[in-house]
Amino acid sequence: MSIKSETIGLIAGGGQFPLLVAKGAAAQGHRVVAVFFKGHSSDEVSSVVHDSKELKLGQLSKLISFFQKNGVTKVVMAGTINKPKAFDIRPDFRAAKLLFKLATKGDDVLLRTIANEFEAEGMQVVGPHVYAPELLTPSGLLTRRKPTEMESSDLSVGWKTARELGRLDIGQCVVVREGVITAVEAIEGTDAAIKRGCELGGKGCCIVKVFKPGQEDRVDMPSIGLKTIEGMKSVGATCLGVEAGKSLFFDLDKAIEFANKNGMTIIGLTPEWFEDK
Amino acid sequence: MSIKSETIGLIAGGGQFPLLVAKGAAAQGHRVVAVFFKGHSSDEVSSVVHDSKELKLGQLSKLISFFQKNGVTKVVMAGTINKPKAFDIRPDFRAAKLLFKLATKGDDVLLRTIANEFEAEGMQVVGPHVYAPELLTPSGLLTRRKPTEMESSDLSVGWKTARELGRLDIGQCVVVREGVITAVEAIEGTDAAIKRGCELGGKGCCIVKVFKPGQEDRVDMPSIGLKTIEGMKSVGATCLGVEAGKSLFFDLDKAIEFANKNGMTIIGLTPEWFEDK
């Protein structure tokens, strides 16, 4: 199969993820240009792409001009923009018009609106997993240890609740202990929600992170990594369920090794996982 | 109107609330007996009731015997049992049987199940507001300042979201800033959720606390007080909406005075509040 070479416009948030995506797209034969944001993303991405530009959050017009000048046909967003900090956005006129359109500004609505803006300019928005498919969470039991009966029951409670919460465009993660929801993630981030829920719930908490029903997989996939598992261990959590195929798992091999060493269990959840019980 | 004198069995949690209820019931001409819990409630309640007994959490059989011995006809629960600590419950056989019946142990299900247990013994469970009706939150604007347009919009987002969350038996409180839900209360308590959401959302957050649809008003009404308003002030929150008639507002006069002095706004919310806009 030959893939048509295109020019990919990468919007780079924080962390190593934008680098993986830039390298993955280049390895697939594409030309990559990137924008990155002071205080949010590293400028390291500049060194692995054809051209790049530093912007401030909210400079949507400049971003679109830069992509148009470079003949971008596909846009991909990768890496975290720290959400609390994003309240400091200084929107330009085009961004301000967009924000005005939004009645409720949950993540999902905001990101989908931005995506629509690119599509109106003839640039297709695609998910970062297109260029880094190896990051998608596999399904089923990923560790040596299976969930206990209590953990299985908590996974089920967490799965149902997290999906309902996603429907309200609130977070993607819940902490469960013996049937009680001890924490719900809003904008504090998964790590903070896990820490809080486990400190309140005590040892043996179960973490469930899901893709929001109707969520934009092009722009906002849930993600998990070795650091998540290490954080769980430090507060006594024993079980992680994360939606398979619709979430990104960074450093999966190291995470599984760490979990196995510490008697933890990790499951790539699908609706079938619960039907089989 | 003459009220029939009855024997009221008071289950006393923490704080001054059990004392108010004991005194209110006595003022209505009832005989009051109370149980209280080491580390959770003060023994001060002993001094204002006919008889009392100290128990450990989970000693449901002893509690029921004590009430039966005293000819209790109505049971009332008042004051907080610290939920995180409640994981340390050592249930007796009767309590354990109850816990076993519960598939998910959200607050509401747990409390309703306990209430049903009393009713099965011929003791009617009533809400503490029956003996302290002056604590119910009045409806409408309670402060001099009205909500701004943005606060009104955030109240509406918070009201809808908090009620949906209540339907899932998760918390009663959300923090909103410019349409974004910045915190959702699970078991950490309202004060902690307010602090987190406001620190993440910045100055100008709006707090909404509601009665859960289908919640047991006999055993678990949302409550708010002067301390809530002081806590809001310390993190820059400016607006509080709390469900009128279905929540308890402690030290209301002092809270309003404090809010007025600090330019804050407090609203007793009803569905009509939003229809009138």
Side-chain angles (χ1 to χ4, degrees):
Chain A
M1 192 184 75
S2 83
I3 296 173
K4 194 183 127 216
S5 174
E6 298 190 87
T7 300
I8 313 298
L10 169 64
I11 303 175
Q16 294 296 303
F17 187 29
L19 290 168
L20 292 178
V21 170
K23 287 175 187 168
Q28 287 181 19
H30 302 298
R31 181 172 169 271
V32 185
V33 300
V35 297
F36 57 97
F37 303 96
K38 199 164 191 172
H40 289 272
S41 33
S42 149
D43 58 4
E44 212 182 322
V45 74
S46 309
S47 62
V48 299
V49 295
H50 185 83
D51 195 4
S52 67
K53 191 179 183 70
E54 181 171 347
L55 294 176
K56 294 192 184 97
L57 284 181
Q59 293 187 312
L60 188 56
S61 286
K62 283 196 180 165
L63 197 163
I64 288 176
S65 310
F66 175 72
F67 281 0
Q68 282 175 328
K69 200 186 69 186
N70 276 282
V72 164
T73 49
K74 293 226 166 97
V75 173
V76 60
M77 309 186 196
T80 323
I81 298 292
N82 188 309
K83 283 176 223 164
K85 273 194 202 161
F87 277 104
D88 300 327
I89 290 178
R90 296 277 164 273
D92 64 18
F93 183 67
R94 184 159 188 171
K97 268 203 305 182
L98 266 191
L99 290 173
F100 251 83
K101 283 190 203 158
L102 303 170
T104 62
K105 285 174 285 181
D107 274 8
D108 200 37
V109 178
L110 183 58
L111 291 170
R112 190 180 309 137
T113 306
I114 293 174
N116 290 345
E117 201 71 6
F118 286 110
E119 310 230 317
E121 297 289 345
M123 295 180 265
Q124 193 193 343
V125 178
V126 298
H129 58 283
V130 171
Y131 306 111
E134 71 281 7
L135 293 177
L136 290 171
T137 304
S139 68
L141 182 68
L142 304 178
T143 47
R144 274 201 297 272
R145 181 169 81 72
K146 285 184 210 172
T148 64
E149 210 167 305
M150 179 55 83
E151 286 168 338
S152 287
S153 158
D154 283 350
L155 281 175
S156 173
V157 169
W159 173 260
K160 277 181 220 154
T161 307
R163 286 169 72 94
E164 286 279 336
L165 289 168
R167 212 178 39 78
L168 300 171
D169 198 13
I170 298 174
Q172 306 163 316
C173 180
V174 297
V175 182
V176 196
R177 166 80 195 282
E178 295 182 18
V180 177
I181 304 289
T182 63
V184 169
E185 179 189 354
I187 65 163
E188 71 274 32
T190 298
D191 292 346
I194 290 175
K195 186 165 186 287
R196 181 175 77 251
C198 293
E199 281 171 357
L200 292 168
K203 287 199 191 306
C205 281
C206 186
I207 316 299
V208 178
K209 188 160 183 179
V210 304
F211 184 76
K212 296 181 208 168
Q215 190 176 357
E216 274 293 340
D217 67 353
R218 299 174 301 174
V219 286
D220 184 30
M221 264 199 184
S223 68
I224 288 285
L226 173 60
K227 277 189 186 164
T228 318
I229 314 292
E230 288 173 343
M232 283 176 56
K233 163 74 181 149
S234 74
V235 287
T238 50
C239 174
L240 170 68
V242 54
E243 186 158 0
K246 294 183 169 182
S247 59
L248 302 169
F249 209 131
F250 294 92
D251 301 313
L252 179 63
D253 292 344
K254 284 183 196 162
I256 291 174
E257 194 188 324
F258 183 88
N260 280 337
K261 209 175 279 177
N262 290 285
M264 299 161 82
T265 176
I266 306 175
I267 301 98
L269 296 174
T270 55
E272 292 72 33
W273 173 268
F274 296 100
E275 283 162 22
D276 292 351
K277 304 288 127 178
Chain B
M1 192 183 78
S2 83
I3 296 171
K4 196 183 124 213
S5 174
E6 299 190 87
T7 300
I8 314 299
L10 170 62
I11 303 175
Q16 295 295 303
F17 188 28
L19 290 168
L20 291 178
V21 171
K23 288 175 186 169
Q28 287 181 18
H30 302 298
R31 182 173 168 271
V32 185
V33 299
V35 297
F36 56 97
F37 304 94
K38 199 165 190 167
H40 290 272
S41 33
S42 149
D43 59 3
E44 212 183 320
V45 75
S46 309
S47 62
V48 299
V49 296
H50 185 85
D51 196 4
S52 67
K53 192 179 181 75
E54 181 171 348
L55 294 176
K56 294 191 185 101
L57 284 180
Q59 294 188 313
L60 188 56
S61 286
K62 283 196 179 164
L63 196 164
I64 288 176
S65 311
F66 175 71
F67 281 179
Q68 283 175 328
K69 200 186 69 187
N70 276 282
V72 164
T73 49
K74 293 227 165 94
V75 173
V76 60
M77 309 185 194
T80 323
I81 299 292
N82 188 309
K83 284 173 222 165
K85 274 193 200 161
F87 277 104
D88 301 327
I89 291 178
R90 295 279 164 273
D92 65 17
F93 184 66
R94 184 159 187 172
K97 268 203 304 180
L98 266 192
L99 290 174
F100 251 82
K101 284 189 202 161
L102 303 170
T104 63
K105 284 173 286 180
D107 274 7
D108 199 39
V109 178
L110 183 58
L111 290 169
R112 189 179 309 137
T113 307
I114 293 174
N116 290 345
E117 201 72 6
F118 287 109
E119 310 230 319
E121 297 291 345
M123 293 180 267
Q124 192 193 344
V125 178
V126 297
H129 58 284
V130 171
Y131 306 112
E134 70 282 6
L135 293 177
L136 290 172
T137 304
S139 67
L141 182 67
L142 304 178
T143 47
R144 275 201 297 272
R145 182 168 81 72
K146 286 184 207 169
T148 63
E149 210 168 303
M150 179 55 84
E151 285 168 339
S152 286
S153 157
D154 284 349
L155 281 173
S156 173
V157 169
W159 173 260
K160 277 181 218 153
T161 307
R163 286 168 71 95
E164 286 281 334
L165 289 167
R167 211 176 40 79
L168 300 171
D169 199 13
I170 297 174
Q172 305 163 317
C173 180
V174 297
V175 182
V176 195
R177 166 80 194 282
E178 297 184 15
V180 177
I181 304 289
T182 62
V184 170
E185 180 188 352
I187 65 164
E188 71 275 33
T190 298
D191 292 347
I194 290 175
K195 188 166 184 287
R196 182 176 76 251
C198 294
E199 282 172 356
L200 292 169
K203 287 199 190 308
C205 281
C206 186
I207 316 300
V208 177
K209 188 160 183 180
V210 304
F211 184 77
K212 296 182 210 168
Q215 188 176 358
E216 275 292 341
D217 66 354
R218 299 175 301 174
V219 287
D220 184 30
M221 263 200 186
S223 68
I224 287 285
L226 173 59
K227 277 189 187 163
T228 318
I229 313 292
E230 289 173 342
M232 283 176 57
K233 163 73 182 149
S234 74
V235 287
T238 51
C239 174
L240 170 69
V242 54
E243 185 158 0
K246 294 183 168 181
S247 59
L248 303 169
F249 209 130
F250 294 92
D251 301 314
L252 178 63
D253 293 342
K254 283 182 197 163
I256 291 174
E257 194 189 324
F258 182 88
N260 281 336
K261 210 175 280 176
N262 291 284
M264 299 162 81
T265 177
I266 307 176
I267 301 99
L269 296 175
T270 56
E272 292 72 33
W273 172 268
F274 296 100
E275 283 162 22
D276 292 350
K277 305 288 129 185

